[in-house]
């Protein structure tokens, strides 16, 4: 089993930065592909960033150039650093994972709230 716990959310000012963390338990972190999603009130859930078990990364256009997804396999943790925050970044942020044996992101955290004030 894989359990994911997000942290690092909170209130930030526009133009500021936050680092979100997602800690995984279960002992197979090194073979997991990881993603960050977010969902704002009244909007569909959207993919923010992704990092493969090999370290390849992808970003949504809305955050590309001001966000970095990274992982520390020794700590079983994936991070999302967001700079130049905008009010539009306000959402609940979720991390999700899939193993190399599945095409589905079957593991999800409970989310962490990010609120960006103008």
């Amino acid at each position: 089993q894989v359990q994911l716990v997000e942290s690092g959310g909170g209130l930030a000012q526009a133009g500021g930065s936050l680092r979100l963390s997602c800690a995984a338990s279960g002992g197979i972190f090194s073979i997991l592909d990881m993603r960050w999603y977010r969902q704002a009130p009244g909007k569909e859930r959207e993919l923010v960033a992704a990092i493969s078990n090999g370290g390849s990364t992808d970003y949504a256009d809305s955050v590309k150039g001001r966000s970095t997804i990274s992982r520390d396999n020794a700590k079983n943790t994936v991070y999302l650093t967001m700079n130049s925050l905008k009010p539009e970044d306000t959402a609940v942020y979720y991390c999700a994972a899939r193993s190399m044996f599945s095409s589905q992101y079957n593991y999800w955290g409970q989310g962490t709230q990010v609120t960006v004030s103008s």
Side-chain angles (χ1 to χ4, degrees), residues 8 19-20 37 67 91 94 114 117:
R19 188 181 76 166
L20 308 181
Y37 291 85
S67 297
Y94 302 89
V114 171
S117 61

Side-chain angles (χ1 to χ4, degrees), residues 24-79:
S25 63
I28 60 170
F29 183 78
S30 63
I31 66 170
L32 298 176
D33 294 333
M34 304 294 298
R35 286 179 170 179
W36 284 99
Y37 291 85
R38 68 185 182 187
Q39 188 165 24
K43 294 186 177 181
E44 297 288 331
R45 184 179 62 198
E46 65 173 336
L47 178 64
V48 178
I51 185 167
S52 72
N53 57 18
S56 299
T57 60
D58 282 295
Y59 301 91
D61 289 341
S62 59
V63 303
K64 187 174 296 183
R66 61 187 183 93
S67 297
T68 301
I69 186 170
S70 60
R71 65 192 298 157
D72 186 340
N73 288 350
K75 296 182 178 180
N76 292 348
T77 301
V78 62
Y79 305 96

Side-chain angles (χ1 to χ4, degrees), residues 8 11-19 66 81-85:
L11 179 64
Q13 296 180 359
S17 299
L18 282 175
R19 188 181 76 166
R66 61 187 183 93
T81 300
M82 300 187 67
N83 304 311
S84 301
L85 286 165

